Amino acid sequence: MKPETRQQEIIRVAAKLFKEKGYSAVTMRDLATAMNIKAASLYNHINSKQDILESIIISIAEQFTEGMSSVRESNATCIEKLKEIIALHVEVSSTNIYGMAALNHDWMHLEARLNYYKKLRSDYENDFRNILIEGIKAGEISDIKPDVMMFSILTTLRSLYLWIPKKEDVNLQELSSNLNEILIKGVIK
Amino acid sequence: MKPETRQQEIIRVAAKLFKEKGYSAVTMRDLATAMNIKAASLYNHINSKQDILESIIISIAEQFTEGMSSVRESNATCIEKLKEIIALHVEVSSTNIYGMAALNHDWMHLEARLNYYKKLRSDYENDFRNILIEGIKAGEISDIKPDVMMFSILTTLRSLYLWIPKKEDVNLQELSSNLNEILIKGVIK
DNA sequence: CAAACAAACTAACAAGTGTTAGTTAAGTGT
DNA sequence: ACACTTAACTAACACTTGTTAGTTTGTTTG
């Protein structure tokens, strides 16, 4: 493990502040104070406030895209695929607690890369929906509107970042298996 | 139905803008433009930007508190109570699409009434958790960590505002019953 | 008609915004 | 010893922020 660069450190601290107050409410002076330097000094390491937000969000979005690509190409059953998706969210969320907040709350403040982000998200949702539709065809999954099922599962998974840090001793394995129970048993026939 | 006062109209339009960009990113000039007046003119009707946020959030939070109070005092089974909670969220969310966004994203920007809001929220969650715990004792509900179940159900319900407006012809009755299926069947033993 | 009110306006302010320019000082590699 | 890099600084910029003061205009009410 290479030590964190100053830039990465700034981005990490920024993500934490963004989680607490939201992107728009965090000023470069807030960020500088949290780093114990002056606002102008930040610009030795980063290009702009926008850039910080972009690198936080896009990096996570791409992790999800990659993860979904693995799931898509596995030849597990649809229920197994759902479990893989749950594990993916637990993994990505637990290693990006602060970034997930920015992704969920502040994606609309992306500018140059807004459309790219939206494409990643809608592709992800399409893959998700297709898994559900296949599962319904195969008789593995309840024949309820796939969009409602997807919405229900996905909003829970997308909000994990709110939840994981609350419990002192989150056992991620246990959380994953609890979510498997709760989310799947409502979907499986 | 009395016609909407100018103040209510401003608050309604503000909620819409808050949903799109978040409280902090919406300026009084944005709001004024959306109302087709000048920023200063807003102050004939409202006291401050803060006040707008407060009245949006607190009003909804109190609707949930009231609704939960009905549920608490009914003598239905725990599963029935869960269904009542789902119906409550569908009802409140569908009639406050924009306000729900502010409640979910911008509650931390409440100032004077932040603690009041937090109390309402934690009381609500305690009532919710107690219903689950009772249900587990009574053998109606799976013996999984109640907090994880609550988290899963509640984040789905809290995100309804993101979902409802997407579908052109949301049949709220149907949505409610789909959610009953999906959320409950994963919890019931 | 006169008084009161509702709802808009212009002008301004003090504070805060992201960002740039230019400088300094302490290491690091040759 | 030398240039290079890293990481901080001060000072300033043009612009935007929420908000206040004071005024004008049309409508309602006594």
Side-chain angles (χ1 to χ4, degrees):
Chain A
M1 281 285 181
K2 281 180 199 165
E4 197 179 35
T5 68
R6 200 76 172 120
Q7 184 187 68
Q8 290 168 331
E9 195 182 348
I10 289 173
I11 292 173
R12 179 172 52 77
V13 172
K16 192 164 184 172
L17 296 185
F18 292 167
K19 187 192 172 197
E20 284 157 19
K21 310 177 28 176
Y23 172 74
S24 302
V26 173
T27 71
M28 296 304 274
R29 284 163 182 87
D30 290 338
L31 177 53
T33 302
M35 294 290 302
N36 278 310
I37 60 178
K38 301 287 165 172
S41 307
L42 294 168
Y43 289 82
N44 287 317
H45 309 282
I46 52 104
N47 293 321
S48 66
K49 193 187 177 189
Q50 257 297 299
D51 263 26
I52 297 177
L53 185 69
E54 281 182 10
S55 54
I56 293 171
I57 293 182
I58 298 296
S59 129
I60 299 182
E62 287 174 345
Q63 288 177 51
F64 279 113
T65 299
E66 262 187 70
M68 180 59 90
S69 154
S70 290
V71 174
R72 196 169 3 88
E73 284 158 20
S74 90
N75 20 354
T77 64
C78 294
I79 292 291
E80 285 302 325
K81 283 182 179 175
L82 277 188
K83 288 183 182 174
E84 285 173 29
I85 291 175
I86 291 169
L88 171 65
H89 277 264
V90 171
E91 166 67 18
V92 175
S93 297
S94 64
T95 54
N96 297 275
I97 293 286
Y98 302 119
M100 284 300 299
L103 184 134
N104 276 292
H105 287 71
D106 291 315
W107 59 268
M108 71 282 274
H109 297 117
L110 290 174
E111 291 169 10
R113 313 192 72 176
L114 176 59
N115 283 332
Y116 175 58
Y117 165 76
K118 281 186 176 173
K119 170 135 178 44
L120 292 186
R121 188 179 58 181
S122 79
D123 287 351
Y124 186 90
E125 289 178 359
N126 283 337
D127 285 339
F128 198 136
R129 190 177 5 246
N130 285 336
I131 291 173
L132 293 175
I133 291 174
E134 256 194 64
I136 295 172
K137 271 193 207 147
E140 290 183 62
I141 291 176
S142 298
D143 190 7
I144 300 177
K145 288 190 169 184
D147 276 341
V148 180
M149 286 193 279
M150 177 171 80
F151 160 74
S152 175
I153 297 174
L154 206 42
T155 53
T156 295
L157 296 178
R158 279 182 176 148
S159 305
L160 278 170
Y161 76 98
L162 284 172
W163 181 252
I164 293 178
K166 271 200 192 152
K167 300 287 141 188
E168 320 76 43
D169 58 342
V170 238
N171 183 331
L172 294 183
Q173 209 91 37
E174 189 188 339
L175 178 62
S176 242
S177 92
N178 281 174
L179 287 171
N180 281 349
E181 287 278 318
I182 294 167
L183 296 177
I184 304 272
K185 290 265 181 75
V187 167
I188 200 168
K189 199 182 265 181
Chain B
M1 281 282 182
K2 281 180 201 164
E4 200 179 34
T5 68
R6 198 79 172 120
Q7 185 186 70
Q8 289 168 331
E9 194 183 349
I10 289 173
I11 292 173
R12 178 172 52 76
V13 171
K16 192 164 185 173
L17 296 184
F18 292 168
K19 187 191 173 196
E20 283 157 20
K21 311 179 25 178
Y23 173 74
S24 303
V26 174
T27 71
M28 295 304 273
R29 285 164 181 83
D30 290 339
L31 177 52
T33 302
M35 293 291 300
N36 280 308
I37 59 178
K38 302 286 165 174
S41 308
L42 294 167
Y43 289 83
N44 287 315
H45 309 282
I46 53 102
N47 292 322
S48 65
K49 194 187 177 191
Q50 257 298 300
D51 263 28
I52 296 176
L53 185 70
E54 281 182 10
S55 54
I56 293 171
I57 293 182
I58 299 296
S59 129
I60 298 181
E62 287 175 344
Q63 287 178 51
F64 279 113
T65 299
E66 261 187 72
M68 180 59 91
S69 155
S70 290
V71 174
R72 193 166 11 83
E73 285 160 20
S74 90
N75 20 354
T77 65
C78 294
I79 292 292
E80 286 301 324
K81 282 182 179 175
L82 277 188
K83 289 184 182 174
E84 285 173 29
I85 291 175
I86 292 170
L88 172 66
H89 277 263
V90 171
E91 166 67 18
V92 175
S93 297
S94 63
T95 53
N96 296 275
I97 292 285
Y98 302 118
M100 284 301 299
L103 183 135
N104 276 292
H105 287 72
D106 292 315
W107 60 267
M108 72 282 272
H109 298 117
L110 290 174
E111 292 170 8
R113 313 192 72 175
L114 176 59
N115 284 331
Y116 174 58
Y117 165 77
K118 282 184 174 174
K119 169 134 179 45
L120 292 186
R121 187 180 57 182
S122 79
D123 287 351
Y124 186 89
E125 290 177 359
N126 283 337
D127 285 339
F128 197 135
R129 188 174 9 245
N130 285 338
I131 291 172
L132 293 174
I133 291 173
E134 255 193 65
I136 295 172
K137 271 194 208 146
E140 290 182 65
I141 291 177
S142 298
D143 191 6
I144 301 180
K145 289 189 169 185
D147 276 340
V148 180
M149 288 194 279
M150 177 171 80
F151 160 74
S152 176
I153 297 174
L154 207 41
T155 54
T156 295
L157 296 178
R158 279 181 176 147
S159 304
L160 278 171
Y161 75 97
L162 283 173
W163 182 251
I164 292 178
K166 272 200 192 152
K167 301 289 143 188
E168 321 75 43
D169 58 341
V170 238
N171 183 331
L172 294 182
Q173 209 91 34
E174 188 188 340
L175 178 62
S176 242
S177 93
N178 282 174
L179 287 171
N180 281 348
E181 286 278 317
I182 294 167
L183 296 176
I184 304 273
K185 289 263 180 76
V187 167
I188 201 167
K189 196 183 266 182

